[in-house]
């Protein structure tokens, strides 16, 4: 059984009571109902200064400083305090020291269950964050990992990202992912020279793109380029070779007329030389024939001997004739000797001429065949040149066509490089954007929140049914409604019902043993009955503050067996039955 003791806190002098079922604090204005509610809330939430607000940045702060906390002590006293006991465990707060002392494991409740803060009063962004926290809508590490992998991350990268989210927080990692996305866009823009857009990124094609390029491997394209370059080089080389070759051949062919006439002249010269030679031979033969057939003394050589009779013989008219024996005895006449000598000289001279003219004729013949050879060469060259000029090269296209082919291959290689680079960057951007979307406040966290909201709405519906209230619900867009109407449109008492239902729901979500509902006098009879009916059915302590003018107007919860009603006066608290008797 829990009990509370409050001393010299705000308007309270001294108040002690047990905490069970419903505690109704009733009394006129300014008697200390709220003071007790705040002291109990301070003890359960272990907040020494129970005046809280939430900043735009989601930080819970006290509205008074610790230095100002003395103002919470009842005027005229040095110290005040609250003590919450639950068996052996205890929480004690002393003011103005703001000391929170605990013993054992005292019961605790969140600032939302105790009513020190209401999500309904938070700035919209913080409302989402606080709701997420309260209904346990924060994705677990396993859920995070699964979602990242679903978005395309590897298991290792997903685990790494989970780790970084847990260490640095969602927003820091979302920012880092966004920065990475900007870098990837930069890469895409480098490839394309254009500014990135996700639709553009999905369909972008480089200049000169042909669908056929997509089917070609990098190797095919670079090989085609190398081949085109080679073909161009070969084409340029063959052009140069054939041009110089034709020029050379034509130069040779130009000698044909000169060589032809030179050849004709040389043929005449050669025939002349042959004739001279022929004449010389004839002259020689004549000179030899004219030689005498008889021996002419010692001036002549020994006559030949006949092979049969051994008599002296000599050649005459192709046959042998006998040489007269007496002739040997005859001294030849000197005139005859001189004539023979002259004839012999003539023979030698003729032989010399035969040799000379023979050599000359041979030389002229060589000259002629030389000219004829050169003429044949010239004719060959002429034919070759004509042939070359008439016959087209292996690939007859002009060099410029080869250059165009090289350019085409180059532009294909370049287009593929750009397309693939841009596509890669685009895919990375899309994947990264998927992570960013998950990491943003409205990403994975919101998705989990929506699932948790389903459960939460179910609980809210149960509570509202028990209180016979209209349905309190939270939309998918986090708008809070009562009977389908937006919170800000509701009457003050309707808003109170919503806050009360939320508080109870949060107390359950937290496992808090208490809920504190001050200012319940705003509710009419039906509203109060509904609330008490609801609280009476819950396994939780409720502290309810309610302005009442007279003790007899206060509902007796003890008689209804759902709690205890108290009457407050002069900073003190009394059970309603005692207060009624006192009057
Ligand atoms: N430090 C303090 N010393 C003495 N009285 C204080 C101090 N602080 C606040 N009070 C007064 O204590 C009284 C009780 O205030 P409290 O808010 O508890 O009243 P209440 O019963 O909730 O009134 P209401 O019906 O208006 O809500 C008030 O008159 C208030 O001005
Ligand atoms: Mg009050």
């Amino acid at each position: 059984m829990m009990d509370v003791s409050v001393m010299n806190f705000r308007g309270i002098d001294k108040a002690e009571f047990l905490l069970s079922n419903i505690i109704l604090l009733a009394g006129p204005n300014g008697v200390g109902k709220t003071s007790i509610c705040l002291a109990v809330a301070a003890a359960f939430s272990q907040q020494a200064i129970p005046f809280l607000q939430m900043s735009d940045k989601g930080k819970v702060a006290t509205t008074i400083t610790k230095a100002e906390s003395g103002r919470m002590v009842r005027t005229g006293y040095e110290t005040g305090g609250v003590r919450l006991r639950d068996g052996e465990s205890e929480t004690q707060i002393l003011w103005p020291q703001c000391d929170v002392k605990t013993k054992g494991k005292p019961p605790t409740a969140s600032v939302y269950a105790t009513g020190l803060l209401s999500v309904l009063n938070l700035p919209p962004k913080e409302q989402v964050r606080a709701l997420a926290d309260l209904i346990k809508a924060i994705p677990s590490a396993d859920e995070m990992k699964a979602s990242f992998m679903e978005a395309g991350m590897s298991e290792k990268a997903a685990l790494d990202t989970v780790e970084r989210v847990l260490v640095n927080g969602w927003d820091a990692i979302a920012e880092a992912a966004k920065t990475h996305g900007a870098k990837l866009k930069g890469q895409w823009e480098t490839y394309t020279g254009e500014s990135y857009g996700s639709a553009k990124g999905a369909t972008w094609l480089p200049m000169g793109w042909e669908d056929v390029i997509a089917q070609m491997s990098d190797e095919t394209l670079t090989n085609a380029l190398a081949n085109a370059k080679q073909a161009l080089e070969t084409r340029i080389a063959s052009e140069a070779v054939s041009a110089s070759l034709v020029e050379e051949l034509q130069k040779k062919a130009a000698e044909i007329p000169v060589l032809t006439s030179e050849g004709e002249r040389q043929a005449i010269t050669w025939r002349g030389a042959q004739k001279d030679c022929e004449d010389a031979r004839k002259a020689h033969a004549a000179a030899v024939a004219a030689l005498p057939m008889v021996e002419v003394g010692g001036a002549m050589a020994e006559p030949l001997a006949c092979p049969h009779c051994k008599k002296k013989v000599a050649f005459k008219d192709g046959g042998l004739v006998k040489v007269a024996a007496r002739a040997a005895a005859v001294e030849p006449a000197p005139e005859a000797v001189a004539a023979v000598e002259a004839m012999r000289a003539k023979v030698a001279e003729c032989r010399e001429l035969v040799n000379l003219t023979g050599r000359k004729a041979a030389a002229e013949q060589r000259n002629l065949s030389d000219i004829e050879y050169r003429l044949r060469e010239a004719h060959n060259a002429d034919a070759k040149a004509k042939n070359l000029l008439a016959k087209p090269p292996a690939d007859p296209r002009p060099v410029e066509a080869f250059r165009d082919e090289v350019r085409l291959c180059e532009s294909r290689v370049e287009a593929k490089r750009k397309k693939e680079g841009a596509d890669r960057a685009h895919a990375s951007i899309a994947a990264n954007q998927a992570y960013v979307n998950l990491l943003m406040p409205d990403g994975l966290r919101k998705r989990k929140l929506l699932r948790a909201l389903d459960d939460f709405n179910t609980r809210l519906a149960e509570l509202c049914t028990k209180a016979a209230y209209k349905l309190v619900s939270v939309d998918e867009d986090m708008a809070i409604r009562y009977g389908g109407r937006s919170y800000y449109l509701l009457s003050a008492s309707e808003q109170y019902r919503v806050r009360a239902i939320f508080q109870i729901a949060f107390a359950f979500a937290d496992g808090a043993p208490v809920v504190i509902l001050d200012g319940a006098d705003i509710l009419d009879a039906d509203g109060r009955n509904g609330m008490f009916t609801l609280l009476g059915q819950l396994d939780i302590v409720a502290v309810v503050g309610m302005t009442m003018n007279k003790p007899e107007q206060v509902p007796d919860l003890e008689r209804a067996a759902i709690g205890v009603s108290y009457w407050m006066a002069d900073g003190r608290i009394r059970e309603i039955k005692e207060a009624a008797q006192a009057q």
Side-chain angles (χ1 to χ4, degrees), residues 10 30 33-35 518-519 547:
R10 288 176 34 120
K33 304 176 295 287
T34 297
S35 298
D518 194 13
T547 299

Side-chain angles (χ1 to χ4, degrees), residues 291-568:
L291 275 176
M293 274 129 301
V294 291
E295 176 102 339
V296 253
M300 288 190 63
E302 275 301 302
L304 297 167
C306 172
H308 311 288
C309 62
K310 307 294 179 204
K311 287 190 178 152
K312 288 182 178 164
V313 289
F315 279 105
K316 186 171 175 171
D317 296 333
L320 289 170
V321 289
K322 275 186 191 152
V323 176
R326 64 170 167 88
V330 178
E331 258 316 290
E335 301 82 8
V337 172
V340 168
E341 281 302 316
M343 286 165 94
R344 280 184 177 158
K346 176 75 177 168
V347 167
E349 191 185 310
C350 283
R351 190 183 299 123
E352 193 59 32
L353 194 62
V354 167
N355 288 342
L356 193 71
T357 55
R359 281 200 297 276
K360 179 94 162 91
E364 292 306 343
Q365 188 179 14
R366 277 199 304 279
N367 282 344
L368 180 60
S369 57
D370 188 42
I371 290 165
E372 280 171 347
Y373 173 78
R374 282 163 59 202
L375 186 59
R376 270 200 310 280
E377 285 281 278
H379 277 294
N380 276 345
D382 186 46
K384 255 190 206 167
K386 282 183 176 135
N387 197 26
L388 272 178
L389 287 174
K391 197 175 96 189
D395 190 335
R397 290 176 303 153
V399 173
E400 206 39 47
F402 284 79
R403 283 195 213 286
D404 284 348
E405 180 71 24
V406 170
R407 270 183 224 116
L408 175 67
C409 289
E410 273 171 352
S411 96
R412 281 178 166 178
V413 167
E414 188 60 6
K416 188 162 174 87
R417 186 188 73 82
K418 284 181 174 172
K419 175 86 162 61
E420 284 182 346
D423 284 354
R424 247 192 334 269
H426 173 65
S428 301
I429 290 166
N432 188 69
Q433 191 55 49
Y435 309 142
V436 171
N437 291 344
L438 286 176
L439 291 165
M440 293 297 278
D442 58 355
L444 186 53
R445 283 173 287 176
K446 178 134 185 209
R447 216 201 282 164
K448 176 73 197 284
L449 174 70
L450 292 180
R451 274 206 298 273
L453 266 180
D454 253 8
D455 298 345
F456 189 59
N457 278 325
T458 307
R459 185 178 306 139
L460 291 175
E462 282 165 17
L463 297 176
C464 292
T465 307
K466 283 178 174 146
Y469 287 178
K470 291 181 191 166
L471 204 64
V472 175
S473 62
V474 184
D475 278 0
E476 293 208 340
D477 63 358
M478 303 306 284
I480 293 159
R481 292 176 188 276
Y482 179 68
R485 186 165 286 139
S486 295
Y487 182 77
Y488 66 91
L489 290 174
L490 301 176
S491 74
S493 66
E494 286 168 336
Q495 291 189 340
Y496 185 89
R497 290 173 200 216
V498 175
R499 282 202 304 275
I501 294 290
F502 259 76
Q503 239 177 291
I504 296 164
F506 287 153
F508 272 96
D510 280 359
V514 71
V515 61
I516 299 168
L517 302 162
D518 194 13
D521 45 271
I522 195 167
L523 299 173
D524 61 13
D526 281 351
R528 288 174 201 186
N529 286 340
M531 189 163 80
F532 286 129
T533 309
L534 166 64
L535 292 173
Q537 292 175 57
L538 302 177
D539 184 20
I540 193 171
V541 174
V543 178
V544 180
M546 202 180 272
T547 299
M548 298 250 143
N549 293 316
K550 292 182 173 128
E552 54 267 32
Q553 296 171 327
V554 178
D556 189 346
L557 300 186
E558 202 167 359
R559 206 186 300 156
I562 53 170
V564 183
S565 303
Y566 291 92
W567 182 254
M568 293 195 64

Side-chain angles (χ1 to χ4, degrees), residues 34-69:
T34 297
S35 298
I36 289 202
C37 287
L38 287 176
V40 174
F44 272 102
S45 63
Q46 301 186 355
Q47 287 279 337
I49 301 173
F51 298 94
L52 300 179
Q53 65 179 11
M54 190 178 273
S55 73
D56 288 347
K57 285 179 182 144
K59 283 256 154 57
V60 176
T62 58
T63 55
I64 63 167
T65 64
K66 201 173 162 188
E68 295 164 336
S69 67

